[in-house]
Amino acid sequence: MSIGEFELINRYFLRHQTGNGVVLGVGDDCALLQPPAGRQLAVSMDTLVADVHFPADADPELIAERALRVNLSDLAAMGAEPLWFTLGLTLTEADSDWLEAFSRGLFACAEHYGCRLVGGDTTRGPLSITIQVQGAVEPGAALLRSAAEAGDRIFVTGTLGDGAAALAVIQGRAAVGESNAGYFRDCFYRPRPRLAEAAYLRGLAHSALDVSDGLLADLGHICRQSGLGARLQLEQLPLSDPLRELCADDTDQTRALAWALAGGDDYQLCFTLPEAALDELQTLIVAGKLEATEIGVMTAEAGIDCRLHGAPYLPEQAGYRHF
Ligand code: ADP
Ligand code: MG
């Protein structure tokens, strides 16, 4: 069944939500929003295009989750707390079942992370979803890519390579047993924005970003913008049990390392920490507040120097080494 544009907005995207400084939400020409006193707004936008960023026939509930979660990951990477988001939706048709599932996934996720939908735009065309998120951060507290210092230890939250492995599974390029299928589906569609972790890292880490394009490419941004390089100990890269199982029959570690280094879509935080803050981080890790693994150190020399058990390692996608 197909419905009109205004009925579509009213039925699926108009919710009378209050809180978070929403003075006026969806329905007028603009939303009216009151930012928290004295805080800066952090603003970010990501577009997901069907058959580029997700299969067009994917479960709409999961498409919505992924679209919002990858945006919230950018707020986490900045050390900002979610407030609001807007939604640019381009649809091939106004299908009620699709919209019902999409909006259900969207609002469930928005509620979970305390982020309010305050507006958007709806157009007809090839399926694509653009979300812009806005968050709040204390002046001076944002975690910048440009603030790493030589000697900082490099950490990542969670595990790496799952996003790329999940894409391979979804596209049928890798096979997993029933027990791990759900794990990889969640890695791809429901990446967890590291907002709680980011809250602990504010004031502790020098710099941070979220790993969306692959560790080498993203750490490369920190290197370039901080005028530094990095040395990585690849045997320390944290890999999940499902990823290890998936690669158990490989004759070497090339595939797992390629996924962890260059695969992308992990949405973990990569952050750099001054040596003086190591004890405090360790205390947080032991207390179960955040999960993070040390993988290397920032260096004064440009470039990313990868070592595997001490020996130089040239990653498959060596192109990413040009900084
Ligand atoms: P205008 O023609 O003034 O741009 P629209 O008809 O595009 O107005 O939108 C009407 C209202 O519905 C606005 O408040 C807009 O923010 C909201 N809106 C439109 N599309 C969406 C959407 N996909 N999600 C949330 N709000 C939307
Ligand atoms: Mg409009």
Side-chain angles (χ1 to χ4, degrees), residues 249-264:
D249 294 334
D250 291 4
T251 50
D252 62 21
Q253 290 176 275
T254 308
R255 187 165 63 144
L257 284 179
W259 278 339
L261 288 172

Side-chain angles (χ1 to χ4, degrees), residues 8-9 11-15 60-61 64-65 85 87 89 96-110 117:
L8 184 162
I9 295 166
R11 197 189 292 177
Y12 298 107
F13 300 111
L14 179 67
R15 303 271 167 104
E61 204 168 336
E65 287 237 26
F85 70 104
L87 169 68
L89 194 54
S96 301
D97 291 339
W98 194 97
L99 281 159
E100 167 69 34
F102 180 87
S103 62
R104 192 184 328 121
L106 188 75
F107 281 107
C109 184
L117 178 65

Side-chain angles (χ1 to χ4, degrees):
M1 190 187 76
S2 188
I3 55 172
E5 181 188 337
F6 296 108
E7 197 190 344
L8 184 162
I9 295 166
N10 286 338
R11 197 189 292 177
Y12 298 107
F13 300 111
L14 179 67
R15 303 271 167 104
H16 292 284
Q17 297 184 318
T18 51
N20 278 25
V22 178
V23 180
L24 189 64
V26 169
D28 212 313
D29 297 308
C30 293
L32 293 175
L33 307 168
Q34 183 61 58
R39 317 265 300 275
Q40 291 176 337
L41 287 182
V43 179
S44 181
M45 177 189 277
D46 265 309
T47 294
L48 273 67
V49 177
D51 290 331
V52 178
H53 299 98
F54 62 88
D57 63 356
D59 178 347
E61 204 168 336
L62 294 179
I63 296 172
E65 287 237 26
R66 178 166 163 82
L68 185 52
R69 285 165 179 267
V70 301
N71 272 279
L72 291 169
S73 177
D74 280 314
L75 290 183
M78 208 66 186
E81 286 161 14
L83 291 171
W84 316 301
F85 70 104
T86 53
L87 169 68
L89 194 54
T90 304
L91 301 169
T92 52
E93 55 175 342
D95 180 273
S96 301
D97 291 339
W98 194 97
L99 281 159
E100 167 69 34
F102 180 87
S103 62
R104 192 184 328 121
L106 188 75
F107 281 107
C109 184
E111 205 156 295
H112 182 77
Y113 289 106
C115 198
R116 303 281 194 273
L117 178 65
V118 295
D121 199 26
T122 307
T123 53
R124 186 186 288 269
L127 177 61
S128 102
I129 296 124
T130 297
I131 286 180
Q132 186 190 55
V133 283
Q134 285 114 25
V137 64
E138 291 289 343
L143 295 164
L144 306 182
R145 297 176 175 192
S146 55
E149 292 180 18
D152 279 1
R153 308 298 177 83
I154 304 166
F155 284 82
V156 287
T157 60
T159 55
L160 292 174
D162 293 317
L167 186 63
V169 170
I170 284 166
Q171 294 179 337
R173 289 181 284 113
V176 288
E178 191 69 19
S179 58
N180 286 336
Y183 174 82
F184 285 114
R185 195 184 71 146
D186 269 3
C187 286
F188 188 78
Y189 287 111
R190 310 183 71 236
R192 193 152 65 77
R194 301 282 151 167
L195 292 157
E197 290 83 348
Y200 289 113
L201 294 176
R202 277 196 302 269
L204 202 60
H206 274 159
S207 67
L209 48 51
D210 63 327
V211 180
S212 54
D213 295 332
L215 178 67
L216 290 181
D218 289 319
L219 179 58
H221 296 311
I222 289 183
C223 289
R224 200 171 35 250
Q225 294 184 29
S226 296
L228 300 170
R231 191 165 56 246
L232 291 180
Q233 255 85 50
L234 301 192
E235 67 281 0
Q236 290 176 21
L237 295 183
L239 305 179
S240 69
D241 288 340
L243 180 65
R244 288 179 193 279
E245 276 177 45
L246 177 51
C247 297
D249 294 334
D250 291 4
T251 50
D252 62 21
Q253 290 176 275
T254 308
R255 187 165 63 144
L257 284 179
W259 278 339
L261 288 172
D265 281 340
D266 282 320
Y267 302 102
Q268 298 294 344
L269 298 181
C270 173
F271 59 95
T272 80
L273 194 80
E275 199 165 353
L278 282 174
D279 283 349
E280 202 171 331
L281 181 74
Q282 194 55 36
T283 306
L284 288 168
I285 292 172
V286 170
K289 307 280 191 206
L290 67 84
E291 205 189 320
T293 308
E294 188 174 339
I295 59 169
V297 62
M298 297 301 294
T299 59
E301 309 82 55
I304 298 181
D305 176 8
C306 292
R307 302 290 171 104
L308 185 59
H309 300 295
Y313 184 90
L314 197 66
E316 263 194 336
Q317 306 206 9
Y320 284 125
R321 283 168 57 88
H322 296 255
F323 299 111

